[in-house]
Amino acid sequence: MTYPSSPRTEPTRHRERVSYDRATVHAVLDEAVVCHVGFVVDGRPVVLPQLHARVEDTLYLHGSTGARAMVTARDGGLDVCVTVTVVDGLVLARSAFHHSVNYRSVVVHGTAAVVTDPAEKAAALDALVDRVVPGRMAGTRAPDRKELAATTVLGLPLAEVSVKVRSGPPIDDPGDLDGPHWAGVLPLSTVAGPAVPAPDLVPGIDPPAHVTTWHR
Amino acid sequence: MTYPSSPRTEPTRHRERVSYDRATVHAVLDEAVVCHVGFVVDGRPVVLPQLHARVEDTLYLHGSTGARAMVTARDGGLDVCVTVTVVDGLVLARSAFHHSVNYRSVVVHGTAAVVTDPAEKAAALDALVDRVVPGRMAGTRAPDRKELAATTVLGLPLAEVSVKVRSGPPIDDPGDLDGPHWAGVLPLSTVAGPAVPAPDLVPGIDPPAHVTTWHR
């Protein structure tokens, strides 16, 4: 399955790197820890890092009910561009010019609207916790009524969305191939170190499997 | 030394997390592999991942000379918000509500202008390679005249810039402290795997130290 293309998601460069494949889009959205949300304030761009969660074909964002973006969103929605990038490796070519990065990046355009349905809002907040640390919601105290009221959830339909992927080795000019320089890829990944218990943790509570086996 | 604050960089929430400390700003800019560049097209936000480099108090971006943002920048500069985020850990509280992320995030507002001075442009491109892989420029073929012409470099002054930092353990409500749930921090870091030589690499060229010792 693929998402439709649109004037905003049609590539102008490196067309071969762009796709609308639904499974590829979802994999990137689900893997990255943070997204970057762009919106316009007084005609100028603002980009902020945020947590996100995907449920089916909706991307959810959240924030304090009093935050500027959330207040704006209450009045007809917030035009956003949400970009999610996973860096897979550094691409080292013989020439400086052909250096690159292996990455997967999803760009979502659309209008984020406040989620008003209580069940959808609660499910989105659960998904925000469980996407970052799968299994975590079962190991926490769920939000109470006051906490739910303090949080605004925005839903952004995955309708105008594309994913750009660069993978594989460097591509050097033929004249550089027998040069003296090493070329190749340095793979990068995100790893977790040993869990650090909170200083005020009740003695005897061990980190659960969703913490000790976390991986990306 | 600190950068001045401005209406756009003054925090509205979590004031204790925001600083204008020059060394902290520089450390985040220098560590993150990619930045996210936001600009406005037809009144709507666009956010794209990019490589960046810092030289003193200027942030450099680059792109193909024909790319839309570069074309726009030639005509009086490009209003941008460049955001650079390093994720340091997942903060797991007893309550779902108090889950958070330990991160360091720099936000730069300003107008990116085309770098026309040839020496500054060449130095910026060298910095783009050497920031991502320190020492790499000495192990590559430097750009020739045609490659320099194919690349546009933008310079963005670090003038309107702030850094937001969240660190340390989760902060739970007093009523949750003796609950049954594990709480603490799962530290995250970016690590390099073994270097993968290009399939067409001349036999006998070993990966240099700037590849085998790369770290963040």
Side-chain angles (χ1 to χ4, degrees):
Chain A
M1 283 184 61
T2 60
Y3 291 108
S5 71
S6 82
R8 287 198 289 192
T9 61
E10 271 168 23
T12 54
R13 314 188 68 77
H14 285 301
R15 305 184 79 87
E16 76 287 358
R17 294 183 185 170
V18 175
S19 117
Y20 307 94
D21 180 66
R22 189 168 175 265
T24 308
V25 166
H26 290 189
V28 172
L29 293 175
D30 296 350
E31 178 174 341
V33 174
V34 298
C35 67
H36 282 80
V37 181
F39 51 101
V40 178
V41 176
D42 298 333
R44 308 189 95 176
V46 175
V47 178
L48 298 177
Q50 294 268 308
L51 294 177
H52 61 281
R54 181 191 63 80
V55 177
E56 302 295 338
D57 293 294
T58 302
L59 191 68
Y60 291 103
L61 306 169
H62 76 313
S64 294
T65 295
R68 184 171 57 184
M70 300 299 150
V71 172
T72 306
R74 278 202 290 277
D75 189 21
L78 183 69
D79 281 346
V80 294
C81 177
V82 180
T83 300
V84 175
T85 306
V86 177
V87 174
D88 292 321
L90 306 176
V91 181
L92 308 185
R94 287 109 175 145
S95 62
F97 183 75
H98 283 297
H99 275 60
S100 189
V101 173
N102 281 342
Y103 68 98
R104 290 165 288 147
S105 183
V106 166
V107 177
V108 188
H109 293 278
T111 303
V114 174
V115 174
T116 53
D117 177 71
E120 183 184 1
K121 180 176 178 178
L125 288 169
D126 286 4
L128 278 154
V129 171
D130 270 339
R131 187 195 68 77
V132 179
V133 183
R136 180 62 187 164
M137 268 312 294
T140 66
R141 175 179 65 70
D144 61 25
R145 194 176 299 187
K146 192 178 150 199
E147 291 169 342
L148 286 170
T151 308
T152 293
V153 173
L154 304 182
L156 175 65
L158 292 176
E160 208 172 337
V161 53
S162 61
V163 56
K164 204 165 169 183
V165 177
R166 199 254 181 243
S167 62
I171 300 172
D172 267 303
D173 293 335
D176 288 323
L177 289 182
D178 55 2
H181 306 301
W182 186 87
V185 172
L186 192 60
L188 299 185
S189 57
T190 298
V191 298
V196 180
D200 51 9
L201 184 65
V202 173
I205 302 183
D206 291 326
H210 64 253
V211 173
T212 56
T213 66
W214 187 96
H215 65 92
R216 274 303 186 260
Chain B
M1 283 185 61
T2 59
Y3 291 108
S5 71
S6 82
R8 287 198 290 192
T9 61
E10 271 168 24
T12 53
R13 313 189 68 76
H14 284 302
R15 305 184 79 89
E16 76 287 358
R17 294 184 184 170
V18 175
S19 116
Y20 307 93
D21 180 66
R22 189 168 175 264
T24 308
V25 166
H26 290 188
V28 173
L29 294 176
D30 296 351
E31 177 174 342
V33 174
V34 298
C35 68
H36 282 81
V37 181
F39 51 101
V40 178
V41 176
D42 298 334
R44 308 190 94 175
V46 175
V47 178
L48 298 177
Q50 294 268 307
L51 293 176
H52 62 280
R54 181 191 63 80
V55 177
E56 302 296 339
D57 291 295
T58 301
L59 192 69
Y60 291 103
L61 305 169
H62 76 315
S64 294
T65 296
R68 184 172 57 183
M70 300 299 150
V71 172
T72 305
R74 279 201 290 279
D75 189 21
L78 182 70
D79 280 345
V80 294
C81 177
V82 180
T83 301
V84 174
T85 306
V86 177
V87 174
D88 291 321
L90 306 177
V91 180
L92 309 185
R94 287 114 177 141
S95 63
F97 183 76
H98 283 297
H99 276 61
S100 189
V101 173
N102 281 342
Y103 68 98
R104 289 165 288 147
S105 184
V106 166
V107 176
V108 188
H109 294 276
T111 303
V114 174
V115 174
T116 54
D117 177 68
E120 184 185 1
K121 180 176 179 177
L125 288 170
D126 286 4
L128 276 154
V129 171
D130 271 339
R131 187 194 68 78
V132 179
V133 183
R136 180 63 187 164
M137 268 313 293
T140 66
R141 174 178 66 70
D144 61 26
R145 192 175 303 186
K146 191 178 148 199
E147 291 168 342
L148 287 170
T151 308
T152 293
V153 173
L154 303 182
L156 174 66
L158 292 176
E160 207 172 337
V161 53
S162 61
V163 56
K164 204 166 170 184
V165 177
R166 199 254 180 243
S167 61
I171 300 171
D172 268 302
D173 293 335
D176 288 322
L177 289 182
D178 55 2
H181 306 302
W182 187 87
V185 172
L186 192 61
L188 299 185
S189 58
T190 298
V191 298
V196 180
D200 52 9
L201 185 65
V202 173
I205 301 182
D206 290 326
H210 63 254
V211 173
T212 57
T213 65
W214 187 95
H215 65 93
R216 273 303 186 261

